[in-house]
């Protein structure tokens, strides 16, 4: 008996085998979930690199794999009509998507361009609303929606820049969605992960220093593993967490509770 036996869901945001969405998917699969997946549309249909990377991981068990740029309503509509045909109803949706143009991401935040701001907010925040709005129609028996966030949305993390502003908005959106969809039995939560090496995080400045900081600052004195994040992601999408909604769950070795460095680092 798996925790996700009989559950049907959609996963947005697998780019490759380092993606957090893939870490969560592995647990969902092992617990018995049926899933459909999206990949970023390929620019050159002759060389479908994005599609191939996702298919390599999920082809054995995916119910469908479809292209989706969350900036396009027609793409989103196509994904949800595919889900309706395959599953009828949905039990969960994983939103593991973020983007900011590299120049704007690398800061300073004060110099973020108008276009870069719009694009970052649209892809990283509006997409959660657009996905939840379509998902709720297929979640007639309730469901669970999960998004991925980072501490840079709650506190200033130098180097995280405009993405921190996006994560603050994303976390707020998560709360508003939890309020509006709760009466329909739909839970909406955010998993705040400690830093993990992925395609996206490689674009964040000072990332290696950040990894090192967690080994000295966090209560557990180490970084999280993809499996630790993956397992909690699966649990938040399952009925094991049926009383949790509107929550930011930190899977970061406790880093977020610290207000000052550990005593052994104080100068004597
Ligand atoms: O340390 C980390 N890696 C952390 C990541 C710590 C805490 C949170 N997160 C968050 C990220 O901000 C993001 O919301 O987790 C989420 C997933 O990020 P990831 O797994 O680190 O990154 P990645 O494997 O790159 O997946 C993000 C994917 C995109 O990948 P690329 O690198 O190709 O941009 O988001 C998708 C895409 O697959 N994506 C889009 N999907 C549809 N339409 C779009 C778009 N317009 N843009 C990006």
């Amino acid at each position: 008996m798996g925790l996700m036996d009989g559950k049907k869901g959609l996963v947005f945001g697998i780019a490759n085998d380092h993606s957090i969405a893939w870490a969560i998917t592995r647990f969902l699969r092992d617990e018995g979930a049926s899933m459909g997946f999206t990949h970023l549309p390929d620019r050159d249909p002759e060389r479908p690199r994005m599609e191939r990377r996702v298919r390599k991981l999920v082809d054995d068990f995916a119910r469908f794999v479809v292209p989706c740029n969350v900036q396009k309503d027609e793409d989103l509509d196509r994904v949800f009509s595919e889900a309706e045909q395959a599953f009828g109803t949905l039990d969960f949706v994983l939103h593991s998507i973020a983007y900011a143009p590299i120049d704007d991401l690398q800061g300073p935040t004060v110099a973020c361009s108008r276009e870069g701001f719009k694009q970052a907010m649209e892809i990283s925040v509006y997409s959660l609303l657009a996905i939840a709005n379509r998902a709720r129609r297929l979640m007639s028996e309730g469901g669970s929606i999960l998004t991925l966030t980072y501490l840079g949305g709650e506190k200033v993390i130098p180097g995280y820049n405009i993405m921190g502003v996006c994560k603050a908005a994303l976390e707020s959106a998560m709360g508003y969605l939890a309020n509006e969809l709760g009466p329909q039995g739909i839970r909406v939560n955010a998993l705040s992960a400690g830093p993990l090496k992925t395609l996206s995080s490689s674009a964040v400045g000072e990332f290696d220093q950040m990894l090192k900081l967690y080994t000295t600052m966090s209560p557990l004195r180490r970084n999280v593993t993809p499996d630790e994040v993956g397992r909690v992601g699966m649990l938040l999408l399952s009925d094991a967490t049926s009383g949790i909604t509107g929550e930011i769950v930190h899977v970061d070795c406790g880093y977020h509770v610290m207000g000052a460095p550990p005593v052994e680092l104080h100068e004597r």
Side-chain angles (χ1 to χ4, degrees):
M1 267 284 286
L3 264 181
M4 301 301 289
D5 279 348
K7 299 283 188 195
K8 301 159 289 183
L10 264 178
V11 174
F12 292 82
I14 298 184
N16 60 30
D17 59 345
H18 295 289
S19 297
I20 292 176
W22 172 237
I24 298 173
T25 293
R26 291 199 300 263
F27 282 90
L28 292 167
R29 174 199 62 194
D30 294 349
E31 291 295 332
S34 296
M35 288 169 278
F37 297 87
T38 69
H39 63 85
L40 267 178
D42 283 286
R43 275 201 215 114
D44 179 359
E46 298 292 305
R47 283 189 298 163
R49 281 182 33 228
M50 301 289 188
E51 180 178 354
R52 226 183 284 139
R53 271 196 255 159
V54 175
R55 281 198 181 277
K56 203 170 85 185
L57 298 170
V58 305
D59 248 359
D60 287 350
F61 59 92
R63 287 290 293 273
F64 58 85
V65 180
V66 284
C68 178
N69 176 354
V70 293
Q71 291 177 286
K72 295 193 172 160
D73 282 332
E74 59 272 30
D75 281 18
L76 286 164
D77 290 339
R78 188 158 18 85
V79 174
F80 280 88
S81 92
E82 194 84 36
E84 189 170 13
Q85 274 176 35
F87 298 131
T89 58
L90 275 178
D91 300 294
F92 67 90
V93 175
L94 174 60
H95 172 274
S96 186
I97 289 171
Y99 176 82
I102 190 81
D103 288 347
D104 294 305
L105 185 61
Q106 291 184 341
T109 314
V110 70
C112 183
S113 70
R114 190 181 298 274
E115 270 318 303
F117 181 88
K118 281 190 199 166
Q119 208 183 346
M121 280 285 178
E122 183 185 4
I123 296 175
S124 313
V125 186
Y126 177 72
S127 63
L128 179 66
L129 303 182
I131 285 171
N133 194 30
R134 288 164 174 83
R136 71 189 168 119
R137 298 192 199 110
L138 299 184
M139 289 182 163
S140 46
E141 285 141 45
S144 177
I145 298 174
L146 179 66
T147 187
L148 266 295
T149 189
Y150 179 60
L151 187 60
E154 299 170 71
K155 299 278 180 191
V156 174
I157 308 273
Y160 204 54
N161 306 333
I162 195 61
M163 193 47 72
V165 179
C166 289
K167 292 305 190 192
L170 179 73
E171 290 168 12
S172 176
M174 180 275 292
Y176 278 86
L177 289 172
N179 169 56
E180 289 179 6
L181 304 185
Q184 200 186 312
I186 300 173
R187 302 183 294 113
V188 189
N189 291 291
L191 191 168
S192 186
L196 287 168
K197 275 206 176 197
T198 65
L199 210 56
S200 295
S201 65
S202 61
V204 173
E206 326 290 331
F207 187 75
D208 285 336
Q209 278 105 306
M210 213 123 91
L211 281 176
K212 201 159 155 239
L213 202 58
Y214 276 66
T215 64
T216 50
M217 277 279 284
S218 73
L220 295 181
R221 303 288 193 275
R222 64 175 177 83
N223 282 288
V224 281
T225 66
D227 275 359
E228 287 173 323
V229 172
R231 191 179 301 111
V232 176
M234 178 275 292
L235 285 172
L236 286 167
L237 291 169
S238 80
D239 291 342
T241 52
S242 55
I244 300 178
T245 193
E247 192 67 86
I248 301 171
V249 177
H250 297 86
V251 185
D252 65 351
C253 295
Y255 184 93
H256 70 284
V257 302
M258 301 301 290
V263 169
E264 67 263 25
L265 294 185
H266 291 184
E267 274 189 52
R268 302 201 184 265

